Amino acid sequence: MKKIFAAVLSAMLITIPIPMNPASAQTQKDTVLEKAHKLASTIVSDYKVTSLQYAIMDKGEIVLSDSTGVRDKATHAPITKDTMFGIGSVSKMYVTAAAMMLADAGKIDIDQPLVTYIKDFSMADERYKEITPRMLMNHSSGLYGSHYANSILFDDNDTGNRDELLLRLQSERLKSKPGEYSVYCNDGFQLLEILVERVSGLSYTEFLDQKINQPLKFTSTQTPLSTFDREKLAKTYYPGLEQALPAENANVIGAGGIYSSAEELAAFGDVLSGNRTNILSKQSAAAMQSAEYRKGIWVPEETNSFNYGLGWDAVSLAPFDDYGIKALSKGGDTVMYHAALTTLPEHNISIAVLSSGGSSLYNTVFASNVLLEYLQDTGKIQKILPDRTFEPSVKADMPAEQLAYSGLYGAVGTTVNVEMKNGEIKLPALEGGIIPPQTYVYTGNGQFKSNDGKTEISFDKPANGKIYLKLKAYVNFPGIGQAVMVTYEYQKLDANPLQPATKAAWEKRSNKDYYRLGEKINSLFYLSPDNLVWNIAVDSENGYASGTRIVDEHTAVNAAEIPVMSGRDAFDLNFHTEDNKEYLTIDGQSYLSEDAVNPIYGGSTSVCTIGDSGHAVWFKIDAKSAAKTMHVEAPASGGVMVYDGKGMLVYSSIVNKDKSSVILPEGGMIVFGGAAGDVFQINMK
């Protein structure tokens, strides 16, 4: 679920000072505890984290268990070892292990077609018959990626997203041949969840409880469908809203819906190391650790934060490879929770780091640095190597043949013109904003580098014949540590000339917003309208729109076939008109054109009614209603959100339950949602 948190990350760049919590456990060396305290304090004070919980297990024993921050800001209630957090995509390790447990029992073969076990799985692309459970686990299925609609909800464990997946896939195609390359894919793990249920005869929540929780005596590892005390969950907070948010339920359980504690997650790392053969065989644990990423197209460098196994994000995580130590890693992000699990299978050591706020990347870097301290203190390594340092780039003469790499490039959701002028390339922000927009200069050997030398751009043409812009970056997180990322960031695209009528149709849509209609009003995606509003960026000269290749006046299809990350969560664009209103369909979800969104009535009283479709109703805030106080009487099943002109949430009836009035900001938006027939009484002053 990693991509979900990106849209809210930029809104959370604020400092939240939180008092430290005393240590709850001791380690063999005080230096490990001190190192963990120091890093955790920095994450909480400088990286928008309310609470951070972490634990190390060594040879079956918890040797460090501690936390920083508070569970609840209002009461200053501390984090305890039993406080629970959402673990996001670390949940993928559980469903992968569940599938491998079925393989251990001889009930499935992970290299047989998926249709052997999910007989009603079908797609509008005959290649779907080639997909195997292994391909779901190593991200090489060729599926578009993720169906996010109504997946993460406040106080609501509605399983409709997962229940509708097979139906939605029936009308979809693949973006690549199964097994051709690995690119992050949430839907594959939702299919694994369905497979586990079909083969075992148990619900997935029951399977986890009976096959994992009970043998391990876990009490904090639960799903949104489990019965447990929700007060054990760490509270979450959103900028601009003082109250704690309601409980977050990630209802795509196989992909990202499990809750746990750091101690129990670290203990599960022992299972994944192959040390609990009553649950998972050593052979299956070893198979999960294999270099699956090398079975298809992949970036050439081995030192990386990404190298997929079965479920694992990395089966050779940097910087542990510098020490000759095999490290396995999995990160996870929902909207508000973030998690990291790092396991050293040869040493039977695991560390889990969970947080409310922040990101899995921060947690992973924290985990690496604390583990290195622990390895040094226990004599497994002699010393900790310093972070990589770099000299400022020195510009070199660029060979003329490099100019052949100029042109149009794209990734999911975007295109960019790569121009080389005087041996320089200017690029926008990369890796979701982690790497800022900057100019890269040619330094020789086919490489362009940032001025500080930390980020390197080059071009690669692997066996599939496509040209990729490759990124290699060492990223420093002040006070936490350093991470290295090597990815294919963009793919070179061919020109796609359009017929005049097609070109004109798409140019009318350029830079228009389209508003999602089918998202439940208690969805966490309403925290940031970026999750629900599509702005269409049209490059009519080259024939692309928001990274998709335009086919005709109403359709554009995914153009990105990029391994690792930048080709994930692909989509097509499909437009149609009803009652003179234009609608956009993406992943089966309907969006309404901004042209059909009306200003809210500025008079003293009005009503808003949810239609038979149950679709949300959006309004603009114009000069007639701006600065007025809006009071809304909402039905129990309904809710209303208000955003300012910059898209920041200023009011949510779901969160602000004791508040029914808001001053309307000019240029903002309002959305009403609820059940079909719900009526909202609106008063303006």
Side-chain angles (χ1 to χ4, degrees):
M1 305 287 284
K2 290 180 178 179
K3 194 174 183 181
I4 292 178
F5 84 99
V8 299
L9 187 59
S10 61
M12 300 184 68
L13 296 178
I14 56 176
T15 300
I16 308 175
I18 302 294
M20 290 283 291
N21 200 33
S24 60
Q26 293 182 342
T27 64
Q28 291 173 311
K29 299 285 186 177
D30 288 341
T31 52
V32 179
L33 187 61
E34 292 169 3
K35 181 68 170 282
H37 267 164
K38 181 180 179 180
L39 296 178
S41 179
T42 298
I43 290 178
V44 168
S45 64
D46 297 351
Y47 289 87
K48 305 117 359 233
V49 172
T50 304
S51 54
L52 187 81
Q53 183 194 62
Y54 47 95
I56 296 177
M57 174 169 273
D58 186 347
K59 295 182 177 61
E61 293 185 8
I62 296 294
V63 295
L64 171 67
S65 179
D66 208 354
S67 60
T68 302
V70 293
R71 187 187 69 82
D72 186 335
K73 288 184 184 181
T75 64
H76 296 286
I79 300 296
T80 71
K81 67 183 182 66
D82 297 318
T83 301
M84 298 164 61
F85 295 74
I87 65 171
S89 283
V90 183
S91 304
K92 291 179 173 64
M93 300 312 305
Y94 289 80
V95 76
T96 301
M100 298 303 287
M101 290 159 65
L102 293 176
D104 285 340
K107 295 183 178 181
I108 69 168
D109 180 336
I110 66 171
D111 293 310
Q112 286 296 307
L114 184 62
V115 292
T116 307
Y117 311 107
I118 308 177
K119 298 189 183 301
D120 51 340
F121 168 55
S122 67
M123 297 183 70
D125 186 325
E126 285 299 303
R127 297 177 296 177
Y128 82 91
K129 297 174 183 176
E130 302 172 28
I131 296 173
T132 65
R134 179 188 297 275
M135 294 173 187
L136 301 180
M137 292 185 269
N138 68 20
H139 301 279
S140 71
S141 64
L143 294 166
Y144 263 40
S146 304
H147 288 78
Y148 286 130
N150 296 313
S151 58
I152 305 184
L153 306 173
F154 285 127
D155 284 331
D156 185 347
N157 59 9
D158 181 359
T159 60
N161 177 288
R162 195 217 60 166
D163 298 341
E164 297 168 3
L165 179 61
L166 291 175
L167 178 62
R168 295 197 182 283
L169 289 174
Q170 287 178 10
S171 61
E172 297 182 9
R173 63 187 184 91
L174 297 172
K175 64 185 174 190
S176 60
K177 176 180 170 58
E180 182 179 357
Y181 63 85
S182 293
V183 57
Y184 204 84
C185 176
N186 283 307
D187 282 350
F189 294 84
Q190 289 304 103
L191 288 172
L192 278 179
E193 179 186 336
I194 295 171
L195 178 151
V196 169
E197 292 189 335
R198 297 288 179 87
V199 174
S200 71
L202 300 170
S203 75
Y204 182 57
T205 296
E206 291 171 337
F207 187 96
L208 290 176
D209 185 56
Q210 294 180 25
K211 307 298 184 181
I212 294 177
N213 284 349
Q214 292 181 24
L216 293 171
K217 296 181 170 54
F218 283 176
T219 59
S220 297
T221 302
Q222 307 290 345
T223 80
L225 298 177
S226 304
T227 300
F228 68 96
D229 181 6
R230 261 58 178 178
E231 285 302 308
K232 291 180 64 178
L233 292 172
K235 301 289 187 183
T236 61
Y237 297 85
Y238 191 77
L241 301 177
E242 294 182 3
Q243 300 96 322
L245 302 177
E248 176 190 279
N249 290 349
N251 297 312
V252 280
I253 303 173
I258 291 177
Y259 308 103
S260 192
S261 66
E263 287 194 8
E264 289 193 3
L265 184 54
F268 187 64
D270 211 35
V271 174
L272 300 175
S273 293
N275 297 324
R276 296 299 301 263
T277 54
N278 60 318
I279 296 174
L280 182 70
S281 72
K282 286 187 176 293
Q283 294 81 1
S284 286
M288 291 170 66
Q289 300 166 21
S290 62
E292 293 287 318
Y293 64 102
R294 285 295 178 202
K295 293 182 176 180
I297 305 299
W298 196 260
V299 292
E301 280 84 352
E302 291 293 340
T303 299
N304 204 347
S305 296
F306 306 113
N307 32 59
Y308 298 149
L310 297 180
W312 293 107
D313 288 343
V315 293
S316 180
L317 178 68
F320 294 94
D321 48 349
D322 291 339
Y323 302 85
I325 295 175
K326 183 179 181 66
L328 314 170
S329 177
K330 184 75 192 81
D333 301 275
T334 60
V335 176
M336 304 309 302
Y337 288 123
H338 311 278
L341 172 65
T342 301
T343 296
L344 312 181
E346 294 158 351
H347 295 284
N348 299 325
I349 298 172
S350 294
I351 183 171
V353 185
L354 310 179
S355 66
S356 167
S359 91
S360 63
L361 183 55
Y362 307 152
N363 295 1
T364 299
V365 176
F366 171 95
S368 294
N369 280 285
V370 173
L371 265 188
L372 288 173
E373 190 76 33
Y374 184 75
L375 291 172
Q376 179 177 253
D377 283 353
T378 53
K380 295 178 177 62
I381 61 175
Q382 294 301 308
K383 65 177 182 178
I384 298 174
L385 301 174
D387 286 343
R388 286 283 304 273
T389 58
F390 299 86
E391 296 293 329
S393 297
V394 177
K395 193 173 182 179
D397 292 335
M398 187 185 76
E401 54 262 30
Q402 285 289 323
L403 292 171
Y405 293 115
S406 296
L408 182 69
Y409 284 73
V412 171
T414 187
T415 55
V416 60
N417 282 305
V418 174
E419 297 183 83
M420 300 180 189
K421 294 182 178 179
N422 302 317
E424 298 180 354
I425 300 175
K426 188 175 182 179
L427 292 175
L430 305 175
E431 286 299 297
I434 294 173
I435 299 168
Q438 58 192 308
T439 297
Y440 301 83
V441 300
Y442 187 77
T443 59
N445 299 317
Q447 298 169 351
F448 297 78
K449 293 186 178 181
S450 58
N451 288 332
D452 60 13
K454 295 178 182 177
T455 306
E456 175 187 302
I457 298 295
S458 59
F459 298 89
D460 195 25
K461 187 176 181 180
N464 63 358
K466 300 184 186 303
I467 294 173
Y468 296 108
L469 186 150
K470 182 166 70 69
L471 167 73
K472 181 177 182 180
Y474 284 83
V475 182
N476 290 327
F477 299 98
I480 308 177
Q482 187 180 79
V484 58
M485 305 173 186
V486 187
T487 67
Y488 287 137
E489 197 75 3
Y490 292 110
Q491 171 188 333
K492 200 170 194 295
L493 301 175
D494 296 326
N496 179 38
L498 303 178
Q499 294 295 322
T502 300
K503 183 177 181 180
W506 282 90
E507 286 178 342
K508 290 179 181 178
R509 300 181 180 115
S510 186
N511 204 35
K512 280 188 179 180
D513 288 334
Y514 290 77
Y515 295 84
R516 189 186 294 184
L517 301 177
E519 193 75 8
K520 295 179 73 170
I521 199 64
N522 59 345
S523 168
L524 273 77
F525 292 157
Y526 282 104
L527 291 174
S528 171
D530 288 345
N531 293 301
L532 302 173
V533 181
W534 275 87
N535 182 269
I536 305 298
V538 178
D539 178 359
S540 60
E541 294 303 316
N542 289 300
Y544 291 86
S546 297
T548 59
R549 181 174 57 84
I550 296 171
V551 175
D552 56 35
E553 294 180 29
H554 308 291
T555 310
V557 299
N558 172 62
E561 297 183 52
I562 309 175
V564 193
M565 280 290 185
S566 292
R568 63 173 291 178
D569 297 342
F571 57 86
D572 299 336
L573 303 175
N574 294 279
F575 292 88
H576 71 280
T577 301
E578 292 181 23
D579 300 325
N580 295 318
K581 298 177 182 178
E582 185 172 60
Y583 293 85
L584 165 64
T585 303
I586 303 175
D587 296 338
Q589 299 301 305
S590 292
Y591 296 74
L592 178 64
S593 169
E594 64 177 36
D595 296 336
V597 176
N598 298 315
I600 193 162
Y601 177 63
S604 59
T605 61
S606 61
V607 297
C608 174
T609 303
I610 304 299
D612 293 341
S613 65
H615 283 168
V617 181
W618 292 82
F619 291 100
K620 300 171 184 175
I621 302 172
D622 63 7
K624 294 180 180 179
S625 55
K628 290 186 176 182
T629 298
M630 181 180 74
H631 172 81
V632 178
E633 294 180 16
S637 56
V640 57
M641 310 287 168
V642 179
Y643 306 93
D644 65 18
K646 296 181 179 179
M648 290 297 295
L649 181 67
V650 297
Y651 172 75
S652 164
S653 67
I654 303 297
V655 178
N656 307 105
K657 293 184 181 296
D658 58 346
K659 182 180 178 183
S660 58
S661 299
V662 59
I663 298 174
L664 299 182
E666 186 169 1
M669 299 293 298
I670 305 171
V671 58
F672 295 89
D678 276 354
V679 177
F680 298 81
Q681 300 290 335
I682 305 168
N683 295 286
M684 295 278 192
K685 289 185 180 180

